[in-house]
Amino acid sequence: MTDMEKETVTDEILEETEQEAAEDMSQEQTDAQAAEDQPDDKDVQTDDKKRFFGKKKDKKDKQIEDLTAQLDDLRKRNLAEFENFRKRTDKAKSTLFERGA
C-alpha cells in the first residue's frame, strides 16, 4: 500500500470517527434532555448515563487524536520521501550533464 493510499484510508477513518463522535454527542444531548425531564428519583441513573457517555466521548477524542497524529506522521514521511526523490533526480541529472560534456 502506497503512502498516498495510506493517507486516503487514514483520512476516511478520521472522517468516520468524527462522524461517530458527532452522532454520539447528539445522542448524548438527547439523553441528557430526556434525563432532565424525568423525576428527581432518576437522578442517580442520569449521573450514570453522564459518566458512561463522558467515557465514550473521551475514548472517541483519544481515537481522533491518535488518528490525527498518524496522519501528521504519514504526511511528514511523504514530504521527506518527495524531497529525497527530488535530490536523487537532481544529482542524476547533474551527473548526466557532466558525462555529456
Side-chain angles (χ1 to χ4, degrees):
M1 183 179 279
T2 65
D3 286 338
M4 190 62 116
E5 290 171 336
K6 288 179 184 176
E7 186 174 332
T8 303
V9 169
T10 305
D11 286 341
E12 290 172 1
I13 292 171
L14 181 61
E15 186 177 313
E16 289 173 7
T17 305
E18 287 173 346
Q19 288 175 350
E20 289 174 3
E23 290 171 1
D24 288 344
M25 288 176 63
S26 175
Q27 182 63 36
E28 181 179 325
Q29 289 173 349
T30 304
D31 291 344
Q33 198 92 24
E36 289 176 8
D37 296 339
Q38 293 178 354
D40 291 334
D41 62 336
K42 301 288 183 177
D43 285 342
V44 174
Q45 290 178 354
T46 303
D47 290 340
D48 289 342
K49 285 182 183 179
K50 287 180 182 177
R51 272 188 260 134
F52 173 76
F53 286 115
K55 288 178 184 177
K56 195 171 185 181
K57 183 179 177 184
D58 291 342
K59 186 178 179 183
K60 293 291 184 181
D61 288 343
K62 177 71 172 141
Q63 286 178 334
I64 290 172
E65 289 175 12
D66 290 345
L67 289 173
T68 303
Q70 287 177 356
L71 181 62
D72 290 340
D73 184 48
L74 288 173
R75 285 183 177 154
K76 287 177 186 176
R77 286 182 185 198
N78 209 11
L79 287 173
E81 234 178 274
F82 180 72
E83 185 67 23
N84 290 337
F85 169 76
R86 189 183 60 77
K87 288 178 183 178
R88 280 193 313 270
T89 55
D90 286 345
K91 186 176 179 180
K93 186 168 60 171
S94 65
T95 304
L96 287 175
F97 279 126
E98 288 173 7
R99 286 185 186 172

